[in-house]
Amino acid sequence: MRSLVISILLISFAVIGNVFALNAVSLEREKLRKEEGISLVMPSAVARIAALEFKGIFADIIFSRAMTYYGGKLIRKEEMTGEEWDWIYKNMALATDLDNYFLDPYYFGAMNLSWGANKVKEANALLEKAVKYRDWDWTIPFYLGFNHFYFLQDNEKASFYLMESAKREISGSLIATLAARLAYQGRRTENAVIFLEEILKKTDDNTIRNSYEMRLNTLKGIFFLEKAVAVYQDRFKKQTEGLDELVAKGIITAIPKDPYGGKFYIDKDGSIKTTSEMR
Amino acid sequence: MAIISFDSIIKDYKTGFRKKKTALKDFSLGIHEGEVFGFLGPNGAGKSTAIKILLNLIFPTHGRAEILGKGVGDKGIRRFIGYLPENPYFYDYLNPLELLKFAGKTSGVDSMKIQERTEELLNTVGLWNERKRAIRNYSKGMVQRTGLALALIHDPKIVILDEPMTGLDPIGRRHVIDMILKLKSEGKTIFFSSHILQDIERVCDRIGILVNGVLVRVIDIKSEPLGKPLEDIFIEETEKAGRAKE
Amino acid sequence: MIAIWSVASITFKEGIKNRVIFGIFIIALLLFAATTVVTTLFMRDIVKVAVDLSLSTVSFSGLLTLLFVGVNLFGKDLDKRTIYMVISRPISRSEYLIGKFFGLVMLSLTVVVFLGILSALPVIISKNFYYYSEARFNWLIFFLAVVYIFVKLAVVSSVITLFASLTSNSFIALVLSLVTYIIGQSTESVRLLLASQVEKIEVSPVVSYMVDAAYYIFPNFSAFDLKTQAAHGLSISPSYILWTGLYAVFYITVAVAIGTLAFRRREFP
Ligand SMILES: Nc1ncnc2c1ncn2[C@@H]1O[C@H](COP(=O)(O)OP(=O)(O)OP(=O)(O)O)[C@@H](O)[C@H]1O
Ligand SMILES: [Mg+2]
């Protein structure tokens, strides 16, 4: 009987002590975390070996750890330093090395690194990896195209990725249109023609087809004229003065019609444009 | 013609790096069809060693053992042998029904016969009411009884028992004696080791005494009366062998 | 044949009644429950996380079963001499070993079928909770990955059988099997690492020969790991299935055959 009482007392005492100690430990851990800051990120090659067959779970853990860190900063309304953003990037790169197809780290990294940290290069590096692996997902090249257009003002690249995106997204008339416009301004007429033909193959809806076909015909006209200009320059070793010159010199028989009702002309920078601006 | 024969068997156990223990020294013995042979000897004499050689569990270093005229390595002969190891230990999450089914199947008994024999044997060893309990919940004696049933499930011609009475209560021991006598009446050959001299005296046709790996004496108690208690003979032989060694 | 089948079925029965299996099942169920909670912490690829966790649970439970129950089935036979009740029957040592291997395979099959079906639950739940339109998931590939977990466990069983026949102690067999599992999971990654970094770091030819040797000696478990494919609905070609299947069969044959060679002259004093 006495030993029972002693045991119970001892256990109760130890349980209370345990709770106290653990609370103190939490505080100590908090301090420790602050001091050590962000931890080192394991090299991908090592992680891939160490994760054995549980690479997917490892990727999940690494991703959610970084997300928790970022979330904590947001809640405490603290600014992320450049070093911390680098850490986030490395974690996302590691998570996507462990699972090449994992969308969340691509998405989280790309969105926050470009908008939040102004690290567009890193964001795009992640997205480029994603484009390679998630080769069915139209959203990835779309974001990448957007980053090139908006942050880097690189219309040519933007158009390239938007085309890729439109190719993947079957009913995406909007992306297609956007891509075509960028392509046109970025002197990638030929790509835009191919791309629109590709999209047309995938489109059943008649009204959408019509708008595509108009755009396609315009681009074909521009492409036709671009080639003629190139031939002209090749033959006469000088700039073309106007499109009529091409007809006069017999390179083409007639200037094609713009389906939008505009007129084709040679702009100051030498590119072919139309007065309708494809609207 | 012996049904079981040991021919000049030497068995060395490796006990360490370049060290060995010789458990059987030029051991020869023949056991005839239909006889009950009792195997006696002090602890560590080599009785279990000899029995394990018969079951091909260990291999003789020299010499040859045969059963039914074939080398003991021939697995076909084991269909005709029933064996009870000393201190048997079985798959203990299973119950005797499952074990007996396994034993019967592998010894070539058909399912109908297995069921019949199972009921009969479990009643004989007194485990019928406990038949659905896992062996791990059995007492030592109950495990030993299960072992006896297992040894006999396939109605073997030759029964080899290593200390069948250990761990049994007086009633259980009595059952084993009765069982051996019944098997003998059916014409089976029985070879068993034991330390319980009065049981041996009661059922055996012949007795072999093994001391230190040497078969010092074989007595045919049916034709030559002992004249004095078996216990005296046993101690005498053991001491004689001990002196000879010195 | 009867001998092998009988040994396999008694091994299976003894294994499945082991309480450790029950414990492993409980842990697996808890992990499945945890999966449904954990997935809500992610943004888009929720189904992927659910697939990762539930398939890993199946694989891990199977592995625990083999390492703790499977190895012990051999251990008890050899340490406590339950093997006497087997090889005192008309059963050769080779038949015993092959039967034992099939017993372990049956045990793995049961665990994989039972947990494999249950593992679909967290996936179904998370799919209904949120399914991102650009996520790809396919039940066929999911269940193919489950089948491959079984194939992997069959190979692990053959490794355990081999080590049980070579060593006299079940603890050593356990450690060796575990080490083989770990090496087998990583040889492919190590090889890729060496191949990709040859220019950057000097790898001595000895090391790369050793890695190559390990790649051929130890089972390449990565080949049976289709969890990523299941998580993202990536297609798997028939030739992949053919070759990995053949690889498993050949590896198992070699391991068990070497085992029977070693076991043929084994004594049980
Ligand atoms: N595995 C082993 N390794 C080494 N020596 C052994 C081994 N098994 C038995 N021995 C030795 O062989 C000798 C014979 O042993 P055995 O078990 O045959 O005796 P036994 O006559 O059956 O004795 P008991 O009456 O105690 O059962 C003993 O000296 C024993 O120490
Ligand atoms: Mg003995």
Side-chain angles (χ1 to χ4, degrees):
Chain A
M1 197 54 220
R2 229 181 71 199
S3 68
L4 183 68
V5 171
I6 291 173
S7 303
I8 290 175
L9 278 178
L10 189 67
I11 291 170
S12 323
F13 178 72
V15 164
I16 294 166
N18 183 43
V19 170
F20 268 108
L22 186 60
N23 281 337
V25 166
S26 319
L27 290 178
E28 290 297 322
R29 294 284 301 162
E30 184 76 9
K31 271 189 250 162
L32 202 63
R33 254 198 300 279
K34 266 190 200 134
E35 274 160 30
E36 81 187 1
I38 46 185
S39 53
L40 276 176
V41 181
M42 205 191 264
S44 294
V46 178
R48 281 189 73 86
I49 294 166
L52 301 177
E53 63 170 305
F54 304 108
K55 296 184 182 73
I57 290 185
F58 258 62
D60 301 350
I61 292 170
I62 286 161
F63 167 68
S64 56
R65 196 184 51 161
M67 207 169 63
T68 312
Y69 185 87
Y70 176 71
K73 290 283 249 188
L74 276 190
I75 289 169
R76 293 195 298 273
K77 295 204 165 60
E78 289 170 11
E79 282 281 315
M80 292 275 284
T81 63
E83 214 180 13
E84 284 169 326
W85 280 119
D86 276 341
W87 181 78
I88 294 273
Y89 168 69
K90 279 183 196 147
N91 272 295
M92 297 303 128
L94 174 58
T96 54
D97 275 346
L98 285 166
D99 180 348
N100 299 140
Y101 304 88
F102 191 6
L103 176 64
D104 283 14
Y106 284 132
Y107 183 76
F108 177 83
M111 290 301 109
N112 293 299
L113 287 169
S114 56
W115 287 101
N118 203 16
K119 285 187 184 293
V120 181
K121 210 179 90 210
E122 283 84 354
N124 284 359
L126 282 175
L127 286 171
E128 268 155 27
K129 195 160 110 195
V131 163
K132 197 169 101 200
Y133 287 106
R134 293 182 65 90
D135 59 5
W136 66 88
D137 188 345
W138 67 271
T139 61
I140 306 285
F142 182 80
Y143 293 134
L144 197 48
F146 182 82
N147 280 0
H148 278 288
F149 170 71
Y150 187 81
F151 293 107
L152 302 177
Q153 277 94 39
D154 183 347
N155 281 0
E156 200 171 324
K157 271 271 176 67
S159 136
F160 173 82
Y161 283 117
L162 285 181
M163 275 183 208
E164 181 61 34
S165 172
K167 241 186 261 170
R168 294 175 183 187
E169 150 72 51
I170 291 148
S171 56
S173 61
L174 248 179
I175 304 170
T177 311
L178 187 60
R181 289 186 61 84
L182 290 174
Y184 161 60
Q185 281 158 10
R187 288 165 164 252
R188 306 288 296 173
T189 323
E190 188 173 7
N191 272 347
V193 169
I194 297 165
F195 149 71
L196 276 178
E197 278 174 341
E198 193 71 19
I199 298 279
L200 267 172
K201 273 187 229 153
K202 290 180 188 166
T203 314
D204 296 327
D205 189 283
N206 264 332
T207 40
I208 296 175
R209 280 188 73 90
N210 282 342
S211 80
Y212 273 143
E213 269 162 0
M214 261 168 78
R215 213 170 278 279
L216 177 63
N217 286 333
T218 317
L219 282 170
K220 272 181 173 166
I222 291 171
F223 184 47
F224 173 74
L225 291 171
E226 275 177 3
K227 276 193 297 187
V229 167
V231 170
Y232 180 93
Q233 285 170 357
D234 204 46
R235 197 175 292 170
F236 301 105
K237 305 282 180 261
K238 60 167 186 165
Q239 292 291 318
T240 336
E241 271 135 52
L243 291 176
D244 296 333
E245 182 97 19
L246 295 172
V247 186
K249 287 279 187 305
I251 291 173
I252 52 174
T253 48
I255 298 169
K257 283 212 158 54
D258 174 7
Y260 287 94
K263 269 180 101 64
F264 292 115
Y265 66 95
I266 300 177
D267 203 14
K268 282 188 275 306
D269 63 353
S271 66
I272 313 280
K273 291 200 171 147
T274 167
T275 49
S276 72
E277 292 192 319
M278 283 203 259
R279 270 202 288 261
Chain B
M1 193 30 214
I3 195 166
I4 299 175
S5 75
F6 294 96
D7 186 10
S8 341
I9 293 212
I10 295 173
K11 176 64 192 174
D12 295 330
Y13 284 114
K14 268 190 99 119
T15 51
F17 184 63
R18 301 179 75 178
K19 266 191 281 181
K20 65 182 184 184
K21 157 88 197 164
T22 305
L24 289 174
K25 296 160 190 163
D26 198 22
F27 174 70
S28 294
L29 175 67
I31 290 158
H32 311 299
E33 183 155 11
E35 80 172 334
V36 179
F37 192 97
F39 209 22
L40 282 181
N43 293 135
K47 303 181 293 298
S48 300
T49 302
I51 288 174
K52 284 173 193 165
I53 286 173
L54 284 184
L55 272 304
N56 202 38
L57 299 171
I58 54 178
F59 312 125
T61 314
H62 288 291
R64 182 176 163 82
E66 284 185 359
I67 291 180
L68 293 164
K70 287 190 177 137
V72 290
D74 184 336
K75 71 171 181 176
I77 58 166
R78 291 202 285 279
R79 179 175 295 230
F80 308 106
I81 307 174
Y83 169 57
L84 171 72
E86 65 180 338
N87 312 318
Y89 193 92
F90 305 113
Y91 292 129
D92 57 4
Y93 281 98
L94 304 183
N95 61 37
L97 296 180
E98 290 163 317
L99 291 176
L100 285 166
K101 191 171 157 211
F102 167 78
K105 271 259 164 64
T106 51
S107 297
V109 188
D110 63 63
S111 304
M112 280 283 289
K113 191 85 184 150
I114 291 176
Q115 269 185 12
E116 222 172 88
R117 296 273 305 165
T118 298
E119 184 165 354
E120 186 189 326
L121 283 168
L122 287 182
N123 274 314
T124 324
V125 298
L127 288 177
W128 181 246
N129 294 329
E130 321 274 350
R131 66 189 181 280
K132 285 186 177 148
R133 276 171 63 192
I135 305 276
R136 61 192 290 112
N137 304 319
Y138 274 18
S139 73
K140 177 169 146 59
M142 288 162 86
V143 175
Q144 183 82 4
R145 286 159 192 252
T146 310
L148 280 165
L150 274 167
L152 300 176
I153 180 74
H154 52 305
D155 195 18
K157 268 167 105 146
I158 300 163
V159 181
I160 299 171
L161 310 171
D162 201 347
E163 300 190 29
M165 332 293 191
T166 42
L168 296 185
D169 58 28
I171 302 165
R173 254 165 72 187
R174 185 55 180 273
H175 281 324
V176 174
I177 300 284
D178 292 346
M179 207 153 68
I180 291 175
L181 291 173
K182 182 160 164 277
L183 289 168
K184 180 181 155 69
S185 73
E186 290 166 1
K188 308 279 160 40
T189 310
I190 297 140
F191 177 44
F192 77 104
S193 75
S194 182
H195 292 297
I196 299 162
L197 301 180
Q198 79 244 40
D199 291 343
I200 289 205
E201 223 176 325
R202 193 136 44 131
V203 296
C204 289
D205 298 318
R206 286 198 300 157
I207 294 170
I209 299 175
L210 188 70
V211 183
N212 248 326
V214 179
L215 189 63
V216 291
R217 191 158 166 200
V218 177
I219 315 165
D220 190 339
I221 53 172
K222 289 282 136 73
S223 58
E224 45 170 309
L226 290 171
K228 47 185 165 182
L230 182 55
E231 192 174 347
D232 292 353
I233 300 176
F234 179 82
I235 293 169
E236 222 170 74
E237 292 295 343
T238 309
E239 282 174 349
K240 204 157 71 186
R243 275 199 303 278
K245 206 178 165 196
E246 284 158 22
Chain C
M1 250 0 258
I2 288 181
I4 292 176
W5 168 246
S6 301
V7 175
S9 83
I10 203 167
T11 302
F12 169 72
K13 277 189 215 160
E14 171 76 352
I16 206 75
K17 288 186 180 174
N18 196 318
R19 296 220 182 93
V20 177
I21 293 247
F22 185 69
I24 291 172
F25 276 176
I26 297 288
I27 294 171
L29 295 185
L30 288 176
L31 284 173
F32 285 146
T35 299
T36 46
V37 179
V38 167
T39 50
T40 58
L41 302 176
F42 289 80
M43 299 190 294
R44 278 151 205 252
D45 241 349
I46 282 178
V47 174
K48 166 219 133 77
V49 178
V51 173
D52 275 349
L53 288 169
S54 52
L55 286 184
S56 297
T57 301
V58 178
S59 182
F60 186 62
S61 308
L63 207 62
L64 282 186
T65 306
L66 282 181
L67 289 179
F68 292 101
V69 181
V71 172
N72 196 33
L73 284 172
F74 272 110
K76 214 154 59 172
D77 266 12
L78 302 175
D79 299 342
K80 293 194 173 164
R81 300 281 175 256
T82 36
I83 196 171
Y84 283 1
M85 67 167 275
V86 180
I87 51 176
S88 62
R89 303 275 153 197
I91 298 172
S92 70
R93 282 163 165 74
S94 307
E95 284 167 338
Y96 163 82
L97 205 71
I98 296 168
K100 212 74 190 162
F101 162 71
F102 279 115
L104 296 192
V105 170
M106 282 158 70
L107 203 58
S108 324
L109 185 64
T110 311
V111 172
V112 170
V113 166
F114 186 78
L115 293 182
I117 291 170
L118 282 180
S119 73
L121 275 179
V123 178
I124 292 172
I125 292 171
S126 65
K127 246 181 111 184
N128 286 325
F129 174 68
Y130 178 73
Y131 187 67
Y132 179 55
S133 59
E134 285 302 304
R136 279 211 306 201
F137 177 78
N138 182 330
W139 282 111
L140 199 71
I141 298 167
F142 179 83
F143 283 111
L144 188 66
V146 173
V147 171
Y148 266 83
I149 292 176
F150 165 68
V151 173
K152 182 195 74 184
L153 294 177
V155 176
V156 174
S157 302
S158 75
V159 169
I160 290 173
T161 306
L162 173 62
F163 286 132
S165 71
L166 292 178
T167 61
S168 54
N169 178 310
S170 62
F171 182 71
I172 296 173
L174 171 71
V175 171
L176 289 176
S177 304
L178 191 62
V179 168
T180 302
Y181 166 76
I182 292 170
I183 295 177
Q185 283 291 357
S186 50
T187 46
E188 194 182 281
S189 305
V190 174
R191 242 173 140 229
L192 284 177
L193 172 69
L194 292 191
S196 66
Q197 298 207 332
V198 202
E199 307 95 44
K200 272 191 253 165
I201 47 168
E202 278 294 315
V203 179
S204 85
V206 182
V207 171
S208 80
Y209 283 137
M210 268 168 62
V211 170
D212 274 351
Y215 183 70
Y216 283 99
I217 292 169
F218 293 94
N220 178 8
F221 286 124
S222 309
F224 308 121
D225 179 13
L226 297 185
K227 288 198 272 298
T228 311
Q229 280 68 20
H232 299 286
L234 308 172
S235 61
I236 288 147
S237 66
S239 64
Y240 187 89
I241 295 171
L242 173 76
W243 285 113
T244 46
L246 279 176
Y247 173 61
V249 169
F250 284 130
Y251 197 92
I252 287 170
T253 310
V254 171
V256 176
I258 293 176
T260 56
L261 278 185
F263 212 61
R264 272 225 292 259
R265 293 302 302 168
R266 177 96 174 244
E267 292 191 290
F268 308 102

